Amino acid sequence: MGKEARAWGQLSDGESDGKLLWEPPKLIFRGAVRGIYQGHALRDIRAEGNDIVLSDGTRFTLDPGQADKWVHAILNPPTRLDKLGVKPGMSVVVDGVDDEDFLEELSTRVEAQVGAGEDFEGVDLLFLAADDLGQLDRLEDLQGALAEKGAIWVVSQKGKTAPLKDVDVLAAARGVGLSDTKVCAFSKTHTALRFVRRKG
């Protein structure tokens, strides 16, 4: 969901060629001079010709036709549902994810079904809560509920005190023939790993 390009940066402490990165919510410039911008610094961002201009006068010159696209992306950051790939019309199942904010967000885009994932079929996206290895044992059966291009998001606690580590989730999923394709910050307390059936 981010962006990356070469740019000429005119910053408060100098000018240089460098790499401009949009990693929501941060705009990052890495060159001989460096800068990280977010929040208030991006509030009045605008495009002037080939330049992105920030409220403090900082400028980044991009290839022709790119500035408007960058400004649009920065002013319209992806939502959590965008990052998770939830699209209208999808068949979505929520299995054990107890997050009222997420369920409410989900209801604005799809009619999600809540329950044991293996009780459904033709599922495009399945969100599985997992906080112990026993819950990961269900991954093999849950594959059978997926549509041909369906995916399982394993949602688990993050941080040093989390009962499951990412390596545990990855090992369990790979062990039943799933491939990991993406990781997403699900909330302040949880992370999500996306898995699909391994090709071939």
Side-chain angles (χ1 to χ4, degrees), residues 159-178:
K160 293 179 180 177
T161 59
L164 272 183
K165 303 300 179 196
D166 284 353
V167 290
D168 300 322
V169 178
L170 290 166
R174 290 168 180 166
V176 296
L178 293 170

Side-chain angles (χ1 to χ4, degrees), residues 9-24:
Q10 300 174 55
L11 287 66
S12 58
D13 53 352
E15 301 183 11
S16 80
D17 180 44
K19 185 182 290 184
L20 188 64
L21 301 133
W22 169 234
E23 296 178 355

Side-chain angles (χ1 to χ4, degrees), residues 3-80:
K3 295 174 81 66
E4 180 179 320
R6 298 300 300 180
W8 179 259
Q10 300 174 55
L11 287 66
S12 58
D13 53 352
E15 301 183 11
S16 80
D17 180 44
K19 185 182 290 184
L20 188 64
L21 301 133
W22 169 234
E23 296 178 355
K26 296 178 181 178
L27 183 66
I28 303 163
F29 183 71
R30 295 183 182 137
V33 290
R34 294 174 170 246
I36 298 176
Y37 309 88
Q38 60 183 326
H40 182 74
L42 301 179
R43 191 168 300 156
D44 297 318
I45 191 169
R46 64 190 187 278
E48 287 183 3
N50 297 326
D51 291 358
I52 294 173
V53 185
L54 307 189
S55 53
D56 67 355
T58 298
R59 285 179 175 265
F60 301 105
T61 304
L62 297 167
D63 288 338
Q66 292 303 304
D68 284 325
K69 294 176 183 176
W70 274 69
V71 169
H72 178 79
I74 291 166
L75 292 176
N76 299 279
T79 65
R80 171 163 55 172

Side-chain angles (χ1 to χ4, degrees), residues 91-102:
S91 170
V92 176
V93 171
V94 179
D95 186 334
V97 179
D98 186 21
D99 182 321
E100 288 185 19
D101 289 340
F102 172 65

